[in-house]
Each structure stands twice: as C-alpha cells, then as structure tokens.
Amino acid sequence: MKSFRFLSLLALLACFFSDHAVADERPNIVFILGDDQSWKDYGFMGSEMVSTPHINALAENGLTFKRGYVAAP
C-alpha cells in the first residue's frame, strides 16, 4: 500500500510540474504492471495457455522489461 501511495504522489507531482508548452516534444509513456502472474502468463512471454492478443500487440510495438524480480510481497 505504501508503494501505491508513493507512485500516486509521484504521478501527481509529475502532472503538476509538467510544462504543457513542450509536452508535444516528449514521448507518450504508458506503464502497465501486471500483478500475481508468473513470467510466462503472457502470450508475448511464451504462454500457449493464456491468450493476451492486446498485450502482445503492445509488447510488440513497445518496450518490455522481461527481467523483473520481487523477493517478497
């Protein structure tokens, strides 16, 4: 819960301090974080049992971080 609050505060501060005049020059970023899945529960990671066509398209056209690790919940 603390990390959610921190990320929410960080997003709020980023919106508050963003300069709208140069916003067109910056890339658009969408960060999608999946929770409670293993690394192979997505089609783009090799799953044949789970169908994720929209996430596969996003992964194909974007940047993926395939080496994440969390030691504790």
Side-chain angles (χ1 to χ4, degrees), residues 21-67:
V22 294
D24 294 348
E25 299 172 8
R26 298 179 185 164
N28 291 328
I29 297 173
V30 177
F31 181 76
I32 299 174
L33 175 68
D35 189 21
D36 290 336
Q37 288 91 17
S38 77
W39 67 274
K40 206 170 178 181
D41 284 345
Y42 301 99
F44 72 92
M45 293 293 284
S47 175
E48 296 176 2
M49 297 180 67
V50 180
S51 176
T52 57
H54 298 292
I55 295 176
N56 295 350
L58 288 171
E60 183 178 322
N61 296 316
L63 179 66
T64 59
F65 297 95
K66 298 180 180 180
R67 298 279 184 194

